[in-house]
Amino acid sequence: MRTRTHTAGQLREEHIGQEVRLCGWVHARREQSAELVFVDVRDRYGITQLVFDAEDTSPELPKQAKGVHLEDVVGAKGVVRARERVNKKIPTGGVEVLVTELEVLSRTVSPPLIASDEQNLPAEETRLKYRYLDLRRPKMQEIIRTRHRVTKLARDYFDEQGFLEIETPCLTRSTPEGARDYLVPSRQQPGMWYALPQSPQIFKQILMVAGCDRYLQICRCFRDEDPRADRQAEFTQIDCELSFVDRETVLGVMEGFAKRVWNEVLGYEAGDFPRITYKEAMDRFGIDRPDTRYGLELVDVSDLAAKTDFKVFTEALEKDRGVVKAIRVPGGAAKLTRKITDGYSKFVQDFGAGGVPVTKVAGVTLEAGIAKFVEPIAGELIDRLGAKDGDTILFGADTYSTCSKALGELRQRVARDMEMIPEGAWNFLWVIDFPMFEFDEETGRFYAMHHPFTAPSDEELERFMGADPSDRETIESIVSDGYDLVCNGSEIGGGSIRIHRQDVQKKVFELLGISDEEARLKFSFLLDALSFGAPPHGGIAFGLDRLIMHLAGTDNIRDVIAFPKTQTGADLMCEAPNVVDEEQLGELHVKSTARARTD
RNA sequence: GGGGCGGUAGCUCAAUUGGUUAGAGUUCCGGACUGUCGAUCCGGUGGUUGCGGGUUCGAGUCCCGUCCGCCUCGCCA
């Protein structure tokens, strides 16, 4: 009875009369009487009702069926027959198996999580500790299946496009820029360390130099930073690189992949993806990954604000790159109570803003909130925003970057509060023309906005090569050939045309304040490679976990990873990380300065 | 590193200003019932209230510390 003739999702009316064997977990048990018991058996493929009927078989069978527990593993032999009443909720609902022989293949003790009980889903902590029970749930099985389909689709699609799947090392060297590395001590070379890859970036570029032309890898990446709801330290990307291409070619191939995924998994036909420049995204949405499923765009009203005596506005405008921006919330007056908008002021303080001045449109004028301060510009403001009676107007007043950040985040919160996000909408877009560099006030130096291997756009090349490291304005204004793919306000992919000239790469290092010596020390292999005939190339990496989150309709990245980690980087099931023997450490020439918890 | 929320029966939750023996549903155990599909009905087992201190006549409840989980800021080229 440990083998089966059919899965639990397979039987239909056409099987009626056949003798079958099914195996699986007990999903539910319904005891109608001492003579009639129903047991639903579940496997990855579905659920089938087993019936134990004393009248049609023997009194022993219902008795035996009463002894099975939820989540026991059973095998049953019987005959398929039509049900007296069809259960339309499941695909096998037209039939049942009249069991003639039952074997309990494996008993369970009372489990902390019951796959059929979605109503009383345990806390996530319990789900993670007993992950094998959580993954039995049909919802989780569905996600696992979706994830498989997408990786298979990636391999099929890119294979059709001439890509080769090539593996790059997990034990590699630490990269100085970017996120914190996970480190692995070398046993053979005392005092030396490997790093786990944050991305196979340099390897895939070198594969282009090696003439591989088109590369694909579905690879694990590691970044030792605190996680979020949509971010894990260990994650998977669909990583691609192509030679002899410009931006258009790359975007075309990648857009084709995204469209195919959505089409085959969700049956959704996406139109061509719109493009927006980084600057426009920041101006209109205050964020580099705008959610365009709703309006609530940011409108610059600095010139009008300058005409008022409102201190919050005038003081902001005195700042370097100070701006005043406004968001019109249609119909906000009725829904956004004082309590809610007070909450908004608190909310934006997390992003460095002072608060959110508010007013409401009443007829052709403004009332409440800061109405009396903006009275002189009321008409112009209403015109500029296209505001109507019953709208609320929210303001941000600060430096461009703080104001954008605060209103950009606020915009998303307001959309949720106002229930403005349409169900089932998929808004893809490419964000292009990112700046090459970002100046960091704290350290007083430039950082690569994407990564230091991103090429300046062709038109910028001359200006870039001639840039003086002290000329902040010029450097900040140089636009790169990088691009991000955004879906419903979440970044699902990012890439760029890379630098394939050694002199250009050296210039990037110079502007980043990395000396020749340091660059040689850390990137000699890349610089060497670029000097031996590197083809023009570019690529992208999709965040697989994020793709699956969208396709599965979850906002929790742990739901799409079979064995995810908690916020403290723990695997609650296998209890990693954990202590190791002194002997192991000795072999690795490592001594810890910390005392591990012993609880 | 900072802020917020949470931890009570195997699981999901409740417990009034600090006050009797910490309750309910479910799982599990026993019983009734021949067409259920969240079966129903009756009865029962089940508790170091995360952990450690403290205040108090009395602490699940208040205070301090600590651990764990979630959300978030910083961080994530």
Side-chain angles (χ1 to χ4, degrees), chain A residues 124-174:
Chain A
E124 194 168 7
E125 204 170 345
T126 307
R127 294 175 52 203
L128 291 174
K129 182 166 182 191
Y130 303 96
R131 192 58 162 176
Y132 37 88
L133 298 180
D134 190 43
L135 293 176
R136 283 183 195 167
R137 294 163 47 221
K139 271 187 188 169
M140 297 301 280
Q141 292 275 322
E142 174 69 30
I143 292 173
I144 288 173
R145 201 174 310 127
T146 298
R147 192 169 175 125
H148 165 77
R149 285 180 69 189
V150 172
T151 52
K152 179 169 187 316
L153 215 53
R155 292 195 164 98
D156 291 347
Y157 176 86
F158 288 110
D159 175 63
E160 285 163 25
Q161 304 277 335
F163 286 69
L164 298 180
E165 187 164 352
I166 306 172
E167 289 160 275
T168 56
C170 272
L171 295 175
T172 177
R173 60 174 292 163
S174 178

Side-chain angles (χ1 to χ4, degrees), chain A residues 21 41 83 94 130 137 170 188 192 204 269 285 330 378 387 405 450 452 497 520 575:
Chain A
R21 283 196 317 274
V41 65
R83 290 211 202 182
Y130 303 96
R137 294 163 47 221
C170 272
Q188 292 157 307
M192 303 286 254
K204 69 174 173 175
E269 286 279 353
F285 303 100
K405 173 88 178 156
H450 227 91
I497 296 302
R520 259 198 309 280
E575 298 183 311

